[in-house]
Amino acid sequence: MCNAFNRFMITILILCLFVMIMPVKVNAAVTIALDPGHGGDENGADYYGEKEKDVDLKLAQYVKEGLEEYDGVNIVLTRDKDEAAGLKDRVITAYNAGADMFISLHCNASVSHKSHGASVYISTGEARRQSLRDFADLFLGEFEAIGLDNAGTFARVTQMGRRREDGSFDDYYGVLRHSYNYGIPAIIVEHCFMDSIEDWKFVRNEDGIKELAQADVRAIAAYYGLTSKDGTTYEGRHARQYGATTKAISYSYFAPPKLLSVKLCDYNNASPSMAEYEVDIEDGVGVNYIYLVYKNGSGNSFTVNLMLGEELKTGQYKLKGYIPDNLDLQYYTLSYVGLYDKVGFDAGYSNSGGKLIGFGKCDWLNSFAYSGEADLSVKEQKAVSAVLKERLNYEIMMGIRKRQCVYPLEYRR
């Protein structure tokens, strides 16, 4: 009896000593890399006296300040002043700091100056796609709560047709591409449109920028389950409908546009010139933007924006596009076609191995055989004159330019 008791006590003593010498397990800190977009000579969007590079830096500083109110989180900035920083260098800074997440902070602008709202871009790669969608959903939920429209979550494929070893297309955006290659989950947050009257209140003063930054902090805290200094946690808000934009909800339409074919119908082999294309698309609410990216053997590229007078629903259309001047007279091949529809969803089709392969929102779309129907070659250069006038008149019609700026003599008394 005594021997058994002694053995029991010795066992308890050994266990106590083992517990005492074992390291105490604590929640590991999460390291967040905040990447203020642009910097140095690169201003980014520049409207109403505000430069995006300055807004992005203030956002990062306020987000850092807000996250420091939580336990178990480390913050690193890829730039902490107005300086140029290479896209890969930013990711290397995050990698060297052991970052668990790379968040690039930006504001947006549109060609037509009619877009508004907040959007998030994630990688086209398979790794962590669902968790990054969930992260984006928390950001968009917070932005909706402060009065911004949800402009959507997107993944944009490269326009040059490059693929990863697993067969998926590379990312269009450099910070997402490099982050994926370095094994760091990454997102780009486009907080609002700086050229939008509706969104302008969020970037015109410190209070608006702080409000955006606080939304970022809440989304990050909710995603990682961070505990604040006072011991509280925040569950977060979700977008009103997962994976949908504000416009998609209002129209009850949630499918990205699909491209079925694209052909070059009429082109006089000159630069500058107008070319005519035939496109076959599927979309229930109407495509309002289509562009084609060409590249040549030297790696040079140019973009042809097709002229759409109205939204294009499912059907086949003949559309004109402006072939810019000063091309280098080499052969160009269609490498990418991009489409946006009325509810804000997009699709990108990359040329690879004789096929145009599509990626819309965050999902793969259809692909179809491509045998060069939309290729073109430039054989001669012409004067701009009538060609440019046709393009300018289209931009006036679309509201991109003001008629009094293009034709000032008409407005002189």
Side-chain angles (χ1 to χ4, degrees):
M1 182 79 176
C2 184
N3 288 337
F5 178 78
N6 288 339
R7 286 197 298 272
F8 174 75
M9 292 302 297
I10 291 171
T11 301
I12 294 296
L13 180 61
I14 292 172
L15 287 173
C16 289
L17 289 172
F18 182 76
V19 170
M20 289 175 64
I21 63 174
M22 282 290 290
V24 178
K25 185 177 181 181
V26 296
N27 291 328
V30 61
T31 298
I32 305 293
L34 298 176
D35 173 47
H38 308 288
D41 294 334
E42 189 178 323
N43 291 334
D46 189 350
Y47 293 94
Y48 307 116
E50 291 288 342
K51 294 179 174 62
E52 184 195 346
K53 66 175 183 178
D54 299 327
V55 175
D56 295 344
L57 181 57
K58 290 177 182 178
L59 277 169
Q61 291 167 335
Y62 286 134
V63 173
K64 180 177 184 295
E65 182 180 301
L67 288 175
E68 287 172 344
E69 296 300 314
Y70 291 84
D71 292 324
V73 59
N74 300 318
I75 309 299
V76 58
L77 299 184
T78 61
R79 69 175 179 94
D80 57 8
K81 57 186 176 183
D82 182 14
E83 62 181 0
L87 299 179
K88 189 172 183 179
D89 293 335
R90 296 167 187 258
V91 174
I92 290 174
T93 297
Y95 179 80
N96 290 338
D100 299 289
M101 179 67 71
F102 183 97
I103 305 174
S104 194
L105 306 176
H106 286 260
C107 295
N108 218 333
S110 66
V111 174
S112 67
H113 310 303
K114 295 178 181 178
S115 298
H116 57 274
S119 56
V120 179
Y121 283 84
I122 67 173
S123 176
T124 59
E126 292 289 344
R128 312 180 190 88
R129 187 184 297 171
Q130 188 57 53
S131 62
L132 290 175
R133 281 173 168 168
D134 294 339
F135 197 17
D137 180 63
L138 290 169
F139 272 94
L140 295 172
E142 295 298 335
F143 292 140
E144 286 179 351
I146 64 175
L148 279 164
D149 267 357
N150 165 7
T153 301
F154 303 104
R156 187 175 179 186
V157 295
T158 175
Q159 296 179 352
M160 298 293 106
R162 291 185 297 267
R163 287 175 177 262
R164 303 184 183 92
E165 290 184 2
D166 63 7
S168 62
F169 280 113
D170 244 339
D171 286 288
Y172 172 83
Y173 294 107
V175 290
L176 295 183
R177 182 171 64 252
H178 296 308
S179 294
Y180 193 90
N181 293 339
Y182 274 83
I184 309 172
I187 63 173
I188 297 174
V189 182
E190 297 280 4
H191 290 80
C192 62
F193 282 79
M194 291 185 65
D195 57 340
S196 164
I197 295 175
E198 295 179 54
D199 292 356
W200 176 240
K201 64 182 179 180
F202 290 101
V203 292
R204 69 183 177 188
N205 56 40
E206 295 293 315
D207 289 341
I209 296 172
K210 286 180 180 178
E211 192 171 9
L212 292 175
Q214 288 163 3
D216 290 347
V217 171
R218 291 193 295 269
I220 296 167
Y223 183 75
Y224 284 104
L226 300 178
T227 303
S228 65
K229 301 295 185 184
D230 63 7
T232 61
T233 58
Y234 176 65
E235 291 186 3
R237 295 182 176 93
H238 297 277
R240 282 187 288 160
Q241 184 165 327
Y242 187 90
T245 66
T246 303
K247 288 183 179 179
I249 295 171
S250 65
Y251 283 90
S252 296
Y253 187 81
F254 308 102
K258 287 187 177 182
L259 177 68
L260 303 180
S261 68
V262 55
K263 297 178 182 178
L264 179 64
C265 299
D266 185 26
Y267 176 55
N268 63 4
N269 294 311
S271 167
S273 185
M274 300 296 294
E276 185 175 73
Y277 295 86
E278 182 181 272
V279 295
D280 193 0
I281 58 176
E282 285 185 3
D283 194 77
V285 291
V287 171
N288 55 17
Y289 187 43
I290 304 176
Y291 63 99
L292 296 79
V293 178
Y294 285 90
K295 68 174 181 178
N296 65 8
S298 301
N300 300 316
S301 66
F302 70 90
T303 300
V304 177
N305 296 304
L306 298 188
M307 297 180 177
L308 285 61
E310 57 186 13
E311 286 95 6
L312 310 180
K313 294 187 179 181
T314 298
Q316 196 173 81
Y317 300 88
K318 293 284 185 68
L319 304 170
K320 288 187 175 181
Y322 175 75
I323 309 300
D325 57 349
N326 297 320
L327 295 184
D328 61 6
L329 308 185
Q330 295 188 49
Y331 289 98
Y332 283 83
T333 301
L334 182 67
S335 64
Y336 183 86
V337 182
L339 304 87
Y340 282 85
D341 69 12
K342 190 174 181 178
V343 299
F345 290 149
D346 75 338
Y349 287 80
S350 285
N351 182 4
S352 179
K355 290 185 177 181
L356 282 174
I357 301 175
F359 196 97
K361 293 202 299 183
C362 301
D363 299 297
W364 290 104
L365 290 171
N366 59 309
S367 65
F368 55 89
Y370 171 72
S371 57
E373 292 95 337
D375 283 355
L376 59 84
S377 61
V378 177
K379 296 181 180 177
E380 61 176 313
Q381 293 186 341
K382 289 188 175 181
V384 179
S385 59
V387 174
L388 180 58
K389 185 175 181 180
E390 188 172 353
R391 179 192 182 192
L392 292 174
N393 286 338
Y394 167 76
E395 292 180 351
I396 291 170
M397 180 186 71
M398 296 302 294
I400 298 171
R401 295 177 184 266
K402 293 182 178 179
R403 188 172 186 85
Q404 57 265 39
C405 296
V406 176
Y407 301 112
L409 293 178
E410 294 181 6
Y411 290 82
R412 290 184 182 177
R413 294 182 182 275

